[in-house]
């Protein structure tokens, strides 16, 4: 009788495993699809904002826009690294004391993969692309202002943008790892302020 029962149970286990696999597949595809949609919308919005700011603007304004996008990429890179490096335990005690932003920070840590993907890949890459196109506009306007068609101007601006972006992110990563709790406290408080306004 025992052998008959065990043989009957085996197909049920296999059936359950197949059902679990079927349930997991849609979840795996959901996030990449969401990232794609967010990337398209965010890229369109930021590109439009950049074009509007640069339309008819001088060199000074173009440099301000360029610096803003470089800083945005660095800030979001810091957040993405801080989320993956942070520990939940300090935020549990903060949440127990009802510290503003603690629950939001815990929510970010529990979704560290998605948050870091959004901050580092989506926002970081979009800012990199837009800062590159802004740098190209600055090169064109500098050449027109100086009446020069020199490769040196293009190389200098490209090197400056690359240096600021890479150097800034390198410093930001070190800061994010060392001060991950402080970074997430600030982000959590900002999120808490927006949620209260809503």
């Amino acid at each position: 009788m025992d052998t008959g029962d065990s043989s009957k149970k085996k197909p049920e286990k296999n059936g359950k495993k197949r059902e679990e696999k079927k349930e997991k597949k849609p979840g795996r595809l959901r996030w990449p699809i969401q990232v794609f949609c967010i990337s398209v919308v965010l890229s369109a919005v930021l590109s439009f904002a950049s074009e509007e700011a640069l339309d008819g603007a001088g060199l000074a304004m173009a440099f301000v826009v360029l610096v803003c996008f470089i800083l945005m990429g660095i800030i979001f890179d810091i957040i993405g690294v801080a989320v993956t490096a942070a520990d939940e335990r300090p935020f549990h005690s903060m949440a127990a004391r009802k510290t503003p932003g603690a629950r939001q920070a815990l929510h970010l840590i529990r979704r560290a993969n998605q948050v870091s993907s959004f901050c580092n890949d989506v926002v970081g890459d979009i800012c990199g692309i837009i800062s590159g196109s802004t740098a190209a506009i600055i090169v064109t306007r500098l050449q027109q202002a100086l009446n020069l068609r020199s490769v040196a101007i293009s190389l200098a601006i490209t090197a400056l943008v690359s240096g600021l972006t890479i150097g800034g992110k390198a410093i930001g990563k070190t800061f994010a790892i060392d001060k991950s709790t402080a970074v997430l406290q600030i982000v959590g408080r900002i999120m808490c302020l927006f949620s209260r306004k809503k």
Side-chain angles (χ1 to χ4, degrees):
M1 294 293 288
D2 292 338
T3 54
D5 291 340
S6 62
S7 63
K8 285 178 183 178
K9 285 177 183 177
K10 282 180 183 178
E12 287 178 6
K13 286 180 181 179
N14 292 333
K16 284 180 182 178
K17 285 179 182 177
R18 285 174 187 173
E19 285 176 7
E20 285 175 4
K21 285 179 181 177
K22 285 179 182 178
E23 287 175 1
K24 284 179 182 178
K25 280 181 183 177
R28 287 177 183 175
L29 289 171
R30 190 181 298 164
W31 175 241
I33 291 166
Q34 285 177 347
V35 167
F36 172 77
C37 295
I38 292 165
S39 300
V40 170
V41 173
L42 193 61
S43 180
V45 170
L46 291 177
S47 296
F48 177 76
S50 173
E51 285 177 11
E52 285 294 308
L54 291 170
D55 188 27
L59 276 171
M61 187 61 190
F63 272 108
V64 169
V65 172
L66 177 62
V67 170
C68 285
F69 278 107
I70 291 170
L71 284 174
M72 191 189 294
I74 292 167
I75 289 164
F76 274 89
D77 195 68
I78 288 168
I79 296 166
V81 173
V83 166
T84 55
D87 187 10
E88 281 190 27
R89 285 173 291 183
F91 294 102
H92 282 296
S93 60
M94 289 179 200
R97 294 195 303 270
K98 294 182 179 179
T99 306
R103 287 182 182 179
Q104 285 81 0
L106 277 170
H107 182 72
L108 292 174
I109 294 168
R110 286 167 186 168
R111 295 189 173 185
N113 289 336
Q114 293 176 356
V115 174
S116 62
S117 176
F118 174 77
C119 292
N120 298 110
D121 300 329
V122 177
V123 179
D125 289 348
I126 290 169
C127 287
I129 292 163
I130 294 173
S131 61
S133 62
T134 307
I137 292 167
I138 289 169
V139 168
T140 306
R141 289 185 182 176
L142 270 175
Q143 287 176 343
Q144 288 173 352
L146 299 170
N147 289 322
L148 288 171
R149 290 285 177 182
S150 176
V151 180
I153 295 171
S154 178
L155 290 173
I157 297 296
T158 304
L160 180 65
V161 172
S162 300
L164 288 171
T165 304
I166 296 165
K169 285 186 177 183
I171 295 165
K173 278 182 171 66
T174 306
F175 176 78
I177 292 166
D178 293 339
K179 304 289 183 182
S180 57
T181 304
V183 170
L184 287 184
Q185 273 183 299
I186 294 165
V187 176
R189 282 174 184 173
I190 293 166
M191 290 174 69
C192 185
L193 284 172
F194 278 104
S195 62
R196 280 178 181 177
K197 284 180 181 178
K198 286 179 182 179

